[in-house]
Amino acid sequence: MSKALAAALATGAVATVNSTIWGLAEYLSAPRLVIAMVGSVGLMVGWLIIDAQLWHRSTEVSPEARQRARLYNASTVMTVGIGVLVCYGGLIVINLVWALFIINGEVFASVTRTPLHAAEYLTLSWFVASVATVGGALGSGLESDEAIRAAAYSKREQERRHMLQDDHGD
């Protein structure tokens, strides 16, 4: 997942110094920031699951097999979702530190016509984390499916999936 994280960090670094992003962040309400957050996290989770083919489809038609597939998929969504949310939180913190270091209050105020206070730093970091998460989703396409599976599944689950794949290949 290093390529996805690198893409997210690079996207966040560039977005933090972009005056257009500053203006957008200044005028986004809390509900819109939440929508941007949920959308970017959902996009990243969905992309990781689809791109790495983590969605389990049961070849059996029994109710037990369908229930087992639902449980595997729910577990996958939860595991990948928690991982993406942790990364999202880290992006907020990293972008906040970067913004505190790099943004000049006078330049910010001249562009946005708003003085730079703690609320502006937090709003900007929150919005940039959403933008960076989308950048990370794009960067995750550069990861191998094996790397994504290793991050998503335990060793035991990887062994189970390998055995199932061998059984179906025979």
Side-chain angles (χ1 to χ4, degrees):
M1 298 296 296
S2 61
K3 290 180 176 93
L5 184 57
L9 290 171
T11 303
V14 171
T16 299
V17 298
N18 186 311
S19 62
T20 302
I21 297 290
W22 298 351
L24 286 170
E26 273 305 298
Y27 290 102
L28 287 175
S29 62
R32 285 184 177 217
L33 287 167
V34 169
I35 290 168
M37 177 182 69
V38 170
S40 65
V41 168
L43 177 73
M44 176 72 130
V45 169
W47 176 255
L48 288 171
I49 289 172
I50 290 167
D51 186 52
Q53 301 171 358
L54 300 178
W55 199 255
H56 179 74
R57 287 185 172 77
S58 177
T59 56
E60 301 173 34
V61 293
S62 70
E64 295 84 16
R66 286 195 307 261
Q67 177 64 16
R68 195 170 38 251
R70 279 193 292 273
L71 290 173
Y72 286 143
N73 290 332
S75 172
T76 298
V77 169
M78 292 297 293
T79 302
V80 174
I82 289 168
V84 171
L85 283 171
V86 167
C87 287
Y88 188 91
L91 285 169
I92 290 175
V93 172
I94 290 167
N95 291 321
L96 178 61
V97 170
W98 175 240
L100 288 167
F101 175 73
I102 202 73
I103 297 177
N104 178 291
E106 292 174 14
V107 174
F108 184 89
S110 72
V111 170
T112 64
R113 310 225 190 297
T114 305
L116 185 58
H117 298 299
E120 285 72 29
Y121 278 116
L122 290 172
T123 301
L124 178 63
S125 299
W126 186 5
F127 181 55
V128 167
S130 296
V131 172
T133 299
V134 173
L138 296 173
S140 72
L142 302 173
E143 293 283 357
S144 71
D145 291 351
E146 291 79 28
I148 294 172
R149 283 190 197 102
Y153 295 134
S154 69
K155 186 71 172 166
R156 175 77 176 117
E157 178 63 13
Q158 289 178 45
E159 290 170 1
R160 186 193 71 76
R161 287 179 178 266
H162 185 67
M163 284 180 11
L164 284 173
Q165 189 176 33
D166 287 346
D167 288 346
H168 291 297
D170 291 341

